[in-house]
Amino acid sequence: MSALLEITDLSIAFDGHTKVVDQLSLSLNPAETLALVGESGSGKSVSALSILRLLDERHVRYPSGAIRFEGEDLLRVPEKRLRQLRGRRISMIFQEPMTSLNPLHTVEKQIGETLALHKGLRGPQARQRCIELLDLVGIAEPETRLSSYPHQLSGGQKQRVMIAMALANEPDILIADEPTTALDVTVQKQVLELLAELQRKFKMAVLLITHDLSIVRRYADRVAVLERGVLVEQGETGVLFTQPQHPYTRRLLGAEPPAAPPESPAASEQPLLQVEGLNVHFVTGKTLLGRTKSTFHAVQDVSFSLPRGQTLGIVGESGSGKTTIGHALLKLTPSQGAVQIAGERLDQLDQRAFRPYRQRIQIVFQDPFGSLSPRMSISQIIGEGLEIHHPGPPQDHEAKVVQALQDVGLDPEARHRYPHEFSGGQRQRIAIARALVLQPEIIVLDEPTSALDRTVQIQVIELLRDLQQRYGLSYLFISHDLAVVRALSHKLLVLRRGQVVECGDAGRVFSAPQSPYTRELLSAALFYQNTSHKKPNQLP
């Protein structure tokens, strides 16, 4: 079988720096799924973006190599020819749908744009095709979603819209760059099963880029492993997973989170954090006079407790209210219900009165790059809270910043640099240091490992476990990754549509779940852990 896409001796460099990809050679056959794996910075996304020459040509150069699609070298064709291929013969699902979708355009306009460019469809014809595509990717009541904007969609819905755009012209090749990052396990399974079904229907070749090896094992025909821009191993999926040859591949395959958290201190009679009857409503409609017309009940009568030195894991699908609970505890979102820290009521305090308590309960946000100011140095970012809560001499603040960086395993000299100079795992450590520097009692961790490679995830897990034991911290750990939740959590809270469906000892919930919904979540997580290599179209 002749290859549909051939990459030969490809090297990529930026602004004269060392090569980020060195002599890469790959081939992709019709109707095949090739997975490109490796840690952050290994060159996966850069290689994929180069296929359609989507990298900034003012700063990128290709010292060697060719990228041939049906024999045509895409590195040397004119821009006009590339525009004919992009979205028509070769499509791409980008890593982060929220930043890839235009926030000012409706779903209909964004899908319709590619239909107009490549097929000349406009008006009622384009609208009907948009509805067909949304229905194809499993969006309920597609007619009602045509006028929606990206911010009005859940994570899973945004990802499905991206897939609909990519498949609008039935391409020969689909490049899927981390298509399920930050999606919960049930939605992740739905999206991947959908891609596999559509691949069979359209006989597409798929280049799958992911850091999740359980997905690779389930869906890929062949695997190529990149380490720092160099292809170290490639082969059939079943063979590579059972008989990896390169030490780097073996290290990737062996990177699994611990099966359980360390033993926790005995819980005292009074929990550190006590939440009773927490409710959060969001206004969804107002009258012309500005009065509330309709609301969405995002969190419904949620109650839980968190002992000192322990971790409470909060899990559930997108839109279940996990992050909303974390924001409500820090008064970042208005709420009703009783919230106590060490017996002190916080829910009745206004923002001014609550301010001193912010040093006792801190938060690490999901996206460290978005939550770290690009205009501030690391020292300024970490020290900002000290200036507010602990006014004092600059040298005292600097000493605490240095200590916080050492606590999270970073070189103190890094405090003079800026967020864009660090990898994803390093930025997450900086975000943890910013929370840690105030010596809080509770840290809310909102998906702190969702976009990290498994090897980096394990480093962050070990860091969090070490800090908890060293300083007696209590964590509220929000995540869709049940393997990571299991490694850290002593107690588990399972949410569905804003309501608690199960709560209890994490070991008990994982081993003997009581709720059908919890069993469904665990089943979806275990779906990828099947050690045998079977693609969905091979299942009975």
Side-chain angles (χ1 to χ4, degrees):
M1 182 186 298
S2 60
L4 186 61
L5 180 76
E6 280 190 289
I7 300 175
T8 309
D9 297 329
L10 178 67
S11 296
I12 307 171
F14 290 97
D15 290 331
H17 293 174
T18 56
K19 297 174 184 176
V20 294
V21 173
D22 191 11
Q23 301 289 312
L24 174 65
S25 294
L26 293 173
S27 64
L28 180 62
N29 300 315
E32 177 187 47
T33 299
L34 171 66
L36 200 56
V37 303
E39 295 174 296
S40 296
S42 61
K44 306 187 300 294
S45 294
V46 168
S47 301
L49 291 168
S50 296
I51 294 171
L52 290 171
R53 283 190 10 218
L54 296 176
L55 298 171
D56 190 340
E57 299 204 343
R58 295 170 298 175
H59 302 288
V60 69
R61 61 187 183 89
Y62 302 96
S64 67
I67 301 174
R68 292 186 175 87
F69 172 64
E70 295 183 335
E72 189 174 21
D73 190 352
L74 301 183
L75 290 181
R76 289 162 181 81
V77 299
E79 181 67 22
K80 182 179 179 180
R81 174 58 177 156
L82 281 174
R83 286 198 296 269
Q84 294 172 347
L85 295 173
R86 291 173 182 152
R88 174 64 188 93
R89 304 290 307 280
I90 306 175
S91 287
M92 187 161 186
I93 301 170
F94 294 96
Q95 183 168 352
E96 179 45 67
M98 192 62 208
T99 55
S100 302
L101 295 172
N102 191 322
L104 302 178
H105 292 169
T106 63
V107 168
E108 181 178 8
K109 186 169 183 178
Q110 297 191 60
I111 300 176
E113 183 179 25
T114 187
L115 293 171
L117 285 172
H118 294 290
K119 290 194 172 181
L121 293 181
R122 291 179 174 83
Q125 283 184 307
R127 182 180 178 83
Q128 184 57 40
R129 179 58 177 158
C130 288
I131 292 172
E132 291 173 2
L133 287 164
L134 292 178
D135 183 59
L136 185 70
V137 298
I139 289 184
E141 301 178 352
E143 297 89 346
T144 64
R145 285 301 180 187
L146 291 177
S147 59
S148 297
Y149 290 86
H151 72 274
Q152 297 174 308
L153 306 175
S154 71
Q157 289 171 328
K158 284 194 284 280
Q159 196 65 278
R160 288 167 188 263
V161 170
M162 285 288 297
I163 294 171
M165 290 173 63
L167 298 179
N169 296 296
E170 301 178 14
D172 299 292
I173 296 176
L174 179 66
I175 302 170
D177 188 1
E178 299 281 7
T180 59
T181 294
L183 297 181
D184 52 74
V185 288
T186 50
V187 178
Q188 186 181 86
K189 180 182 175 183
Q190 292 168 13
V191 168
L192 290 168
E193 291 290 299
L194 169 67
L195 280 176
E197 180 185 343
L198 295 174
Q199 181 184 20
R200 293 194 297 273
K201 181 173 182 178
F202 297 128
K203 295 181 172 56
M204 291 184 303
V206 176
L207 180 62
L208 175 64
I209 299 167
T210 182
H211 65 265
D212 192 331
L213 293 179
S214 58
I215 290 173
V216 172
R217 178 170 52 193
R218 189 82 190 181
Y219 291 96
D221 297 297
R222 290 190 299 118
V223 185
V225 183
L226 282 178
E227 181 186 18
R228 297 179 183 178
V230 176
L231 182 67
V232 296
E233 187 168 359
Q234 64 175 316
E236 292 184 6
T237 303
V239 175
L240 187 136
F241 271 83
T242 55
Q243 302 172 29
Q245 302 300 308
H246 196 276
Y248 179 72
T249 309
R250 291 196 289 270
R251 182 161 70 87
L252 286 180
L253 295 177
E256 290 296 332
E263 287 188 21
S264 62
S268 60
E269 291 185 6
Q270 184 184 52
L272 176 60
L273 175 67
Q274 182 77 43
V275 177
E276 294 180 2
L278 185 70
N279 286 273
V280 178
H281 294 82
F282 291 116
V283 176
T284 56
K286 290 188 176 183
T287 65
L288 289 174
L289 298 177
R291 295 176 180 172
T292 299
K293 184 170 66 175
S294 58
T295 62
F296 171 63
H297 202 172
V299 176
Q300 304 176 35
D301 294 316
V302 170
S303 301
F304 60 85
S305 62
L306 176 61
R308 190 178 298 275
Q310 292 192 14
T311 299
L312 172 68
I314 302 182
V315 300
E317 294 177 299
S318 296
S320 61
K322 305 187 298 294
T323 296
T324 302
I325 289 174
H327 289 183
L329 296 179
L330 284 102
K331 287 191 176 293
L332 301 177
T333 294
S335 64
Q336 300 82 42
V339 178
Q340 299 181 53
I341 291 184
E344 299 179 50
R345 286 286 294 267
L346 305 183
D347 54 282
Q348 299 169 340
L349 304 177
D350 59 21
Q351 290 289 347
R352 184 182 183 88
F354 181 72
R355 194 175 189 179
Y357 288 91
R358 292 193 183 279
Q359 63 182 313
R360 298 179 66 180
I361 178 168
Q362 283 284 298
I363 186 168
V364 175
F365 294 99
Q366 180 171 353
D367 177 13
F369 193 71
S371 64
L372 301 178
S373 173
R375 298 189 176 187
M376 296 171 68
S377 69
I378 302 308
S379 179
Q380 291 170 323
I381 289 170
I382 297 175
E384 187 177 22
L386 293 171
E387 294 176 8
I388 296 170
H389 294 287
H390 299 286
Q395 58 268 27
D396 289 353
H397 286 178
E398 186 167 18
K400 291 180 179 179
V401 170
V402 167
Q403 180 61 51
L405 286 170
Q406 289 175 335
D407 283 340
V408 299
L410 290 176
D411 183 354
E413 290 302 311
R415 68 189 187 278
H416 305 300
R417 295 159 61 189
Y418 289 82
H420 72 273
E421 300 178 69
F422 296 89
S423 69
Q426 289 171 324
R427 285 195 292 265
Q428 199 60 278
R429 288 172 183 264
I430 292 165
I432 295 170
R434 177 174 60 180
L436 194 65
V437 75
L438 291 174
Q439 298 179 330
E441 297 169 76
I442 301 169
I443 298 181
V444 178
L445 299 155
D446 188 4
E447 299 277 12
T449 62
S450 63
L452 302 178
D453 306 311
R454 189 61 95 186
T455 50
V456 181
Q457 280 185 354
I458 291 172
Q459 294 170 14
V460 173
I461 289 169
E462 292 299 332
L463 169 65
L464 291 171
R465 287 160 61 121
D466 177 64
L467 292 173
Q468 184 171 52
Q469 291 189 309
R470 197 187 316 171
Y471 295 115
L473 296 170
S474 298
Y475 294 144
L476 207 66
F477 189 80
I478 299 165
S479 181
H480 68 270
D481 190 329
L482 296 184
V484 176
V485 170
R486 189 170 196 164
L488 281 168
S489 301
H490 302 94
K491 299 176 69 178
L492 196 63
L493 183 76
V494 184
L495 289 175
R496 186 183 192 190
R497 297 173 185 170
Q499 296 180 312
V500 177
V501 298
E502 191 158 357
C503 185
D505 176 75
R508 195 274 303 163
V509 174
F510 274 107
S511 60
Q514 303 299 306
S515 165
Y517 178 71
T518 309
R519 290 195 290 270
E520 181 185 346
L521 281 180
L522 294 175
S523 174
L526 291 171
F527 177 78
Y528 300 109
Q529 297 174 14
N530 180 3
T531 54
S532 63
H533 169 61
K534 284 187 178 181
K535 291 189 68 179
N537 58 354
Q538 297 172 326
L539 296 174

